[in-house]
Amino acid sequence: MQETIQTEKKEHLILTGDRPTGPLHIGHYVGSLRNRVSYQHQYKQYIMIADAQALTDNMDNPVKVHNNVIEVALDYLAVGIDPSKTTIFIQSQIPELTELTFYYMNLVTVSRLERNPTIKQEIVMRNFERDIPAGFLTYPVSQAADITAFKASLVPVGEDQIPMIEQTNEIVRRFNRLVNKDVLVECEAFVPEIGRLPGIDGKAKMSKSLGNAINLCSSAQEITAAVRNIYTDPLHLKVSDPGHLEGNVAFMYLDAFDPDKEGLQAMKDHYVRGGLGDSVVKKRLEGILQELLDPIRERREEFAKDKAQVLEILRQGTIRAREVAAQTTDEVKSAIGLKHF
């Protein structure tokens, strides 16, 4: 995948984004944000703050979604996403995305949506049972509208999101067959080498809602406290005991963030044979995270001094994105005969 992308990089347009339900954390950084900083120098990239999609399971608290739009934007800017190279936009401010969703809903059945593995998993996780919000069930259709509106050919996602990309392509193929021409573009899922990080408790994925994350905006003291509580090896009771790497969150984080792979391997070998305490491992990890997050936090604080300027960046990006989405929507309406004058 990676070699193909680099060979054909000029042909790819990327669409990616996040739900604004809280500040972003180091799991987002390693899984997507640092890749986006790299992508913006290689491809045309759109990043969507998916506030409308966030309402599918947060309609009882829309203020949380509204307030976190600016927080997510601050995180983007702080990690180095450049609005002169990447178009950052707000989903809810582009009505064409909703219009496309409405048309595409006629191309997919309820039973097909219910069979989507990603949706099935999310329904269980949120304890919806049969009380599933219609907006949540139709999220794959909404995502198809987002992707096709920009004719994105490459969509970075986690492995658990691959079924969503497959369903997008099903909709694309069905629409193109219906109108007998290639109006919409199929996309390719790009899964990063490092997937989702577990939470510091080792029991679940890192999540804003579960409180087991290290946010990008965490203070030095918060980072220290989080690393101190990171799950390691429960059988490693004494320094002399042989340690285990499997399920050891501290080493998972080191795999993701430590640039000294040779030194890290030596530490792993020492830990496995015994004679190395967890405190030494955590000290190494804390140093790496402090060095990574300190400049991000400083840049974020600087951008936060002028939130009006951040909103202007979002406004300008949304204007540019809407022009593209409107063009695709016109093509779709023309293809199905809804351009009457």
Side-chain angles (χ1 to χ4, degrees), residues 33-224:
L33 294 177
R34 68 181 178 186
N35 291 332
R36 295 175 192 174
V37 174
S38 174
Y39 296 156
Q40 69 186 350
H41 301 294
Q42 305 174 58
Y43 317 114
K44 190 165 187 178
Q45 179 171 243
Y46 289 84
I47 299 181
M48 179 177 70
I49 300 180
D51 58 337
Q53 196 274 319
L55 289 177
T56 59
D57 59 341
N58 285 280
M59 198 64 180
D60 59 339
N61 191 6
V63 173
K64 178 180 78 169
V65 175
H66 171 80
N67 291 342
N68 278 299
V69 166
I70 193 73
E71 296 301 315
V72 168
L74 286 170
D75 285 332
Y76 287 167
L77 298 172
V79 300
I81 292 173
D82 184 347
S84 71
K85 295 182 172 65
T86 293
T87 300
I88 307 171
F89 67 95
I90 302 175
Q91 182 187 36
S92 64
Q93 304 306 296
I94 303 183
E96 288 80 5
L97 300 179
T98 305
E99 185 176 359
L100 287 175
T101 300
F102 181 75
Y103 299 144
Y104 295 171
M105 276 199 264
N106 297 303
L107 301 175
V108 63
T109 65
V110 172
S111 62
R112 174 64 183 93
L113 291 169
E114 290 178 328
R115 289 197 308 272
N116 185 301
T118 305
I119 293 298
K120 288 171 67 174
Q121 182 181 12
E122 295 282 346
I123 288 172
V124 171
M125 188 175 74
R126 287 169 169 78
N127 297 315
F128 282 150
E129 296 183 353
R130 291 304 301 172
D131 294 324
I132 308 166
F136 188 87
L137 183 63
T138 57
Y139 167 49
V141 185
S142 172
Q143 188 178 63
D146 298 333
I147 293 169
T148 59
F150 299 96
K151 300 190 176 179
S153 56
L154 187 65
V155 184
V157 293
E159 281 193 31
D160 61 325
Q161 293 291 311
I162 290 178
M164 306 292 270
I165 303 304
E166 292 172 347
Q167 190 149 21
T168 291
N169 286 334
E170 286 177 14
I171 290 172
V172 167
R173 289 191 289 268
R174 186 167 184 188
F175 182 87
N176 287 345
R177 284 198 303 269
L178 179 71
V179 301
N180 201 30
K181 60 180 176 179
D182 293 335
V183 175
L184 304 179
V185 175
E186 289 192 42
C187 61
E188 178 182 0
F190 176 39
V191 180
E193 292 181 8
I194 299 177
R196 289 182 171 179
L197 291 180
I200 62 173
D201 53 9
K203 295 181 180 178
K205 69 178 182 180
M206 186 172 289
S207 167
K208 294 167 282 191
S209 60
L210 295 175
N212 61 358
I214 301 175
N215 293 334
L216 295 177
C217 59
S218 296
S219 67
Q221 294 76 19
E222 289 170 335
I223 295 169
T224 299

Side-chain angles (χ1 to χ4, degrees), residues 227 267 278-289:
V227 172
M267 173 173 272
D278 288 336
S279 61
V280 177
V281 178
K282 291 183 178 182
K283 183 177 180 181
R284 180 185 183 112
L285 175 60
E286 183 191 345
I288 290 169
L289 290 179

Side-chain angles (χ1 to χ4, degrees), residues 232-244 248 270-279 281:
T232 54
D233 175 10
L235 301 178
H236 191 238
L237 302 177
K238 297 183 295 186
V239 172
S240 58
D241 288 340
H244 299 84
N248 192 318
H270 191 177
Y271 189 79
V272 168
R273 68 175 179 264
L276 184 66
D278 288 336
S279 61
V281 178

